[in-house]
Each structure stands twice: as C-alpha cells, then as structure tokens.
Amino acid sequence: MCERQRRKGVYASQYLTPDRTARQMAALAVRYFDNDSRIVDACCGTGQLTRALLLEGVHPSAILGFDADAELADLYEYLYPETTALRMQFHEIDFRCENVIANPPFEITECTSFLQWLSRTQCSGDWAVLLLSYGFIDKQRPKAVQETMRHFIIHYRTPMQEPFARTNCRAEIVVVERA
C-alpha cells in the first residue's frame, strides 16, 4: 500500500492502520458504540478497521465504509462484500453517522475539515473512535481546531503503541462523544 501511494500520489496523507492499533480501536468501538446503530468506517481504505470490527463480532451488515479513492473503495467492497461500500469523500456524506471509526487524513487542514464534517453529521450523544496525529486535539492554532473540538467531549485517548509503516508520524487513539 505504501508503494502504491508513492507511485500514485496521494491528495491527503493516509497511513495504513497497523493491525494491533486497528484491533484496539475496534475493541473501543464495541465498548462505546450503541450496538443497534450502524458503524461508519470513514476513509476506510483497505478496510483494516472493518476487519478488526468483524473480528470483534460486529455483523457485516452493520458496517458502512467509504473512501474517496475509487480503487481502495473497490478493494474494500471486494474484501468485505457483506458490508456497504461507498465511493465518496467525507464532505459528500450528508446522513447521520451515529458511530464512526476512522483513520482520517493527518494534514491539519484536512483533519480539521474531517472533524467539522463529523460534528455536522453527528447528533448529541453520538460517538467516534479516531486515530489522529499525536497532539492534534491540543493544537491552539489554527483556531478552527479548538473551535471544532468544542463540539466533542473527549472520553479516552492513548498514544498509538506501534509505528505506521515507512513514516515517523506519531498518532493517538481518541474516543469522542458529540456534545
């Protein structure tokens, strides 16, 4: 996947979620999410988080994955045919997303835009388990980061315990509830 991204070029950084991190995020999702609501695997890529959710016992019909990269969305659909797959960017999703699990782009502008979208598509009491660049939610600048984070209650955060392949980028798992 890293070589594919290097050859193809990537609009926004997307790092393949390591297996242990994906399993940890899925366990948190099962713990925090409402079991009767659909789970949206936002920016799903190859489905690392969906695979971990399935291993946690989540029924495939309860999962909807979407990605802007058509090739990755096609691969996701091939690997997980019982789930629902959409080929679109997050800002094109306009339905309620009660439960979101995601490894969104790490660029400040893109991640802020992702969190703004999340705050628009969630209602009070909805949840998200996110893999964010380490310290992103503490940033004071740009001001939009803190303005957006005011829409969420942070319930849990922990540093990622394993590295992404071929990058020194550090990340943390963050569980938020829409305020």
Side-chain angles (χ1 to χ4, degrees), residues 27 29 31 42 57 68 76 100 110 112 132 136 142 148-149 153 165 178:
R31 178 176 160 198
Y76 177 90
V100 173
E110 285 297 311
T112 302
L132 301 174
F136 176 84
T148 303
M149 287 309 300
I153 301 164
R178 180 67 168 84

Side-chain angles (χ1 to χ4, degrees), residues 1-15:
M1 288 310 300
C2 295
E3 291 304 318
R4 175 195 177 274
Q5 286 182 310
R6 184 176 304 158
R7 281 191 311 266
K8 183 176 176 162
V10 180
Y11 166 68
S13 64
Q14 286 296 124
Y15 304 115

Side-chain angles (χ1 to χ4, degrees), residues 28-35 37-42 96-102 114-115 117-119 121-130 151-156 174-179:
L28 288 166
V30 167
R31 178 176 160 198
Y32 284 98
F33 291 174
D34 175 3
N35 293 337
S37 298
R38 140 186 86 202
I39 297 175
V40 176
D41 184 349
R96 181 176 176 198
C97 298
E98 300 96 328
N99 301 311
V100 173
I101 189 166
F114 176 85
L115 289 168
W117 162 80
L118 187 62
S119 74
T121 58
Q122 287 194 320
C123 297
S124 180
D126 290 347
W127 291 85
V129 176
L130 308 170
H151 296 274
F152 299 99
I153 301 164
I154 301 166
H155 285 276
Y156 178 84
V174 182
V175 177
V176 296
E177 177 185 5
R178 180 67 168 84

Side-chain angles (χ1 to χ4, degrees), residues 81-115:
E82 304 86 19
T83 66
T84 302
L86 301 174
R87 289 161 200 80
M88 46 194 354
Q89 296 180 10
F90 59 81
H91 59 79
E92 297 174 308
I93 302 288
D94 62 356
F95 51 82
R96 181 176 176 198
C97 298
E98 300 96 328
N99 301 311
V100 173
I101 189 166
N103 175 2
F106 276 24
E107 288 84 10
I108 293 171
T109 303
E110 285 297 311
C111 193
T112 302
S113 180
F114 176 85
L115 289 168

Side-chain angles (χ1 to χ4, degrees), residues 13 15 18 21 103-107 131-139 157-174:
S13 64
Y15 304 115
T21 299
N103 175 2
F106 276 24
E107 288 84 10
L131 188 59
L132 301 174
S133 178
Y134 188 80
F136 176 84
I137 60 176
D138 301 318
K139 288 190 175 301
R157 68 191 283 194
T158 187
M160 186 173 150
Q161 299 300 307
E162 59 190 325
F164 288 112
R166 300 183 182 189
T167 182
N168 291 328
C169 184
R170 293 182 6 185
E172 65 183 325
I173 300 168
V174 182

